[in-house]
Amino acid sequence: AATSGTTTILLNFFLDRRFDPGVVCNGILAGLVSVTGACAVVQPYGAFIIGVIGAHVYYFGSKMLVSLKIDDVVDASPVHMFCGIWGTIATGLFCDHATFLDSYKTATNVTHGYGLLIDGVKGGRLLAANLVFLVTVICYVAAIAMPMIFVLKMLRLLRIINIH
């Protein structure tokens, strides 16, 4: 979180030439979201890298939504969705053998399938499983949300009309 918050401060200052406390707070949240899934199975250097990349995912995800004219006033999508996706992928990249066994002591018969960057090609199994998980969750959420959004749109309740 500290790494992501600091990285976000630097990105905000050097790219926008300003300091926005809201961006910094969301950068800290982005780091927390990014590392939560992997916190028990990565080394500190892995958590540091995950936080730095999480700050970039948040910052540029927020800029992308603005450029696409998608209204997300509190940047919930870049923080939670984009960084959550990154955190799931990061677990498949940085999962460490020793920390995995230390965290999950009953998993004594696991001999491979850690992070791709740590365990090489054998580590691709965890990353592949996490990618299948991501696709499944995205499909599930879309299947639940799209009918709801469609009904709200048909009832003209999706947008607030300017009363001025």
Side-chain angles (χ1 to χ4, degrees):
T3 302
S4 186
T6 304
T7 304
T8 307
I9 289 172
L10 295 173
L11 285 169
N12 190 231
F13 180 75
F14 288 118
L15 297 179
D16 291 341
R17 297 286 180 212
R18 64 190 180 101
F19 174 74
D20 184 352
V23 170
V24 176
C25 290
N26 279 336
I28 292 167
L29 287 172
L32 291 169
V33 170
S34 297
V35 80
T36 297
C39 65
V41 295
V42 296
Q43 294 287 344
Y45 72 87
F48 182 88
I49 295 168
I50 290 168
V52 168
I53 296 173
H56 286 80
V57 168
Y58 157 69
Y59 188 81
F60 291 111
S62 176
K63 296 292 182 193
M64 180 187 70
L65 291 181
V66 169
S67 70
L68 294 173
K69 297 183 178 174
I70 297 174
D71 189 21
D72 188 357
V73 179
V74 295
D75 278 343
S77 296
V79 169
H80 296 284
M81 185 176 77
F82 299 160
C83 289
I85 289 170
W86 159 240
T88 304
I89 293 169
T91 304
L93 295 174
F94 294 102
C95 180
D96 180 69
H97 181 86
T99 54
F100 179 86
L101 292 177
D102 190 43
S103 297
Y104 303 102
K105 293 178 181 23
T106 58
T108 54
N109 62 347
V110 178
T111 57
H112 60 278
Y114 302 102
L116 182 65
L117 299 177
I118 306 300
D119 203 18
V121 177
K122 294 187 295 183
R125 288 183 177 184
L126 178 59
L127 180 60
N130 285 0
L131 291 174
V132 169
F133 169 74
L134 281 173
V135 170
T136 304
V137 169
I138 290 169
C139 290
Y140 173 78
V141 170
I144 298 298
M146 295 308 272
M148 224 175 4
I149 291 169
F150 179 75
V151 168
L152 289 173
K153 185 175 181 178
M154 292 296 109
L155 295 174
R156 303 179 68 90
L157 296 173
L158 195 56
R159 294 192 176 263
I160 298 174
I161 299 169
N162 191 354
I163 302 175
H164 298 280

